[in-house]
Amino acid sequence: MSRGAGSGRPEEPIGIFDSGIGGLTVLREILTIMPSEDVIYLGDTARVPYGIRSPETVEKYAVENTEFLLENRIKLIVVACNTASAVSLDALKKTTKVPVVGVLLPGAEAAVRKTANRRIGVIGTEATIRSMAYQRAIVSIDPEVVVTGVACPLFVPLVEEGWTDGEITRSVAREYLGRLKDSGIDTLVLGCTHYPLLKGVIKDVVGEGIALIDSAVETAKTVRETLEAAGLSRRRNDSPIRRFYVTDDPARFRKVGERFLGRRITCIEKVEIPLTGQAAHR
Ligand code: DGL
């Protein structure tokens, strides 16, 4: 079945979803380079984290989130969650009419462009690393590249607590990243929404010789290119809309999310997902 409620006009908003707060790092980059776009963001805060769940469960959630966004007449979907991109992007693309951009391929492509010694590291949630999706994407671009993936599950709660620096975070980072340094990589993909907030610590631990690839920055560039190629970019907008939906308490989302987004979150509403018989929002 094909879905897609937008009619593909530049005036329509971009729809973005993530398992919760982390996708705001992607939204932040999108707003930086495309300030005229209207956006609708869905954070599935009632079902976060996705990173410890099975591929089947994550795919089901991703499909339901996509259905919700499509009810809002969007022109493009950004799957801002690395875990959801890793396990469900193909399924979403097959069944959705509007363009779908995930965070995985833009990061993989940027890493292949960057590496000189063809050794790339990827860090992400357990589900992302277990899926081998980054590894497959990188090797499909350049089969000679050796990819080392390491899951860093404690990074997400540390960042949400605001512990983006300090000795505990540094020592967790040393534990996770030691193996990567030994593998001789010269490029490291930050394959999780939360990791851009740990750039400082990660850089210190892996050293200056390893280039960090921020999937959020790369994804924003891909979104811009995709909209331009489809003639869907919005050039002028006197009062751009930023609407936020969450599936659990908006208060925590706002408090933690403003740190991720780097700006105020005002228009925020709790919704039920999956949608029941009649659409929750239009
Ligand atoms: N958004 C998730 C990701 O990028 C991290 C949080 C979670 O596990 O849901 O993989």
Side-chain angles (χ1 to χ4, degrees), residues 30 39 147 149 168 194 269:
I30 288 174
V39 291
V147 184
I168 292 176
H194 291 56
E269 198 179 315

Side-chain angles (χ1 to χ4, degrees), residues 104-122 134-147 186-189 211 213 218:
L104 196 139
L105 198 56
E109 286 171 345
V112 174
R113 280 197 302 273
K114 187 77 189 170
T115 184
N117 72 0
R118 289 180 152 155
R119 288 181 183 272
I120 296 175
V122 179
Y134 266 106
Q135 287 89 326
R136 275 200 306 278
I138 290 170
V139 170
S140 75
I141 303 166
D142 181 348
E144 299 291 311
V145 174
V146 177
V147 184
D186 68 353
T187 306
L188 175 60
V189 181
I213 303 296
E218 301 305 326

Side-chain angles (χ1 to χ4, degrees), residues 48-62:
V48 71
Y50 286 7
I52 54 165
R53 303 196 192 282
S54 69
E56 296 74 28
T57 300
V58 174
E59 184 172 316
K60 174 178 175 293
Y61 292 170

Side-chain angles (χ1 to χ4, degrees), residues 18-23 47-52 80-84 103 124-125 128 156 160 191-195:
D18 175 50
S19 55
I21 288 162
R47 303 189 291 194
V48 71
Y50 286 7
I52 54 165
C81 176
N82 283 261
T83 306
V103 282
T125 64
T128 297
V156 166
E160 293 205 3
C192 174
T193 46
H194 291 56
Y195 300 177

Side-chain angles (χ1 to χ4, degrees), residues 61-203:
Y61 292 170
V63 167
E64 290 168 357
N65 295 341
T66 299
E67 280 168 353
F68 172 83
L69 287 175
L70 289 171
E71 286 295 324
N72 286 273
R73 305 192 68 79
I74 50 160
K75 62 181 173 186
L76 176 141
I77 291 185
V78 183
V79 183
C81 176
N82 283 261
T83 306
S85 295
V87 306
S88 67
L89 203 69
D90 292 343
L92 297 182
K93 279 188 169 167
K94 261 187 222 138
T95 56
T96 306
K97 277 190 201 154
V98 299
V100 182
V101 176
V103 282
L104 196 139
L105 198 56
E109 286 171 345
V112 174
R113 280 197 302 273
K114 187 77 189 170
T115 184
N117 72 0
R118 289 180 152 155
R119 288 181 183 272
I120 296 175
V122 179
I123 51 176
T125 64
E126 278 168 4
T128 297
I129 299 302
R130 203 185 328 115
S131 76
M132 303 287 286
Y134 266 106
Q135 287 89 326
R136 275 200 306 278
I138 290 170
V139 170
S140 75
I141 303 166
D142 181 348
E144 299 291 311
V145 174
V146 177
V147 184
T148 309
V150 173
C152 305
L154 289 176
F155 279 174
V156 166
L158 283 169
V159 171
E160 293 205 3
E161 275 305 307
W163 292 20
T164 49
D165 202 352
E167 201 32 53
I168 292 176
T169 304
R170 279 171 191 275
S171 107
V172 171
R174 278 194 294 272
E175 188 71 32
Y176 285 143
L177 304 175
R179 244 189 70 204
L180 278 175
K181 278 173 46 180
D182 297 343
S183 67
I185 59 163
D186 68 353
T187 306
L188 175 60
V189 181
L190 306 180
C192 174
T193 46
H194 291 56
Y195 300 177
L197 283 97
L198 291 174
K199 255 187 212 165
V201 168
I202 294 171
K203 186 106 216 150

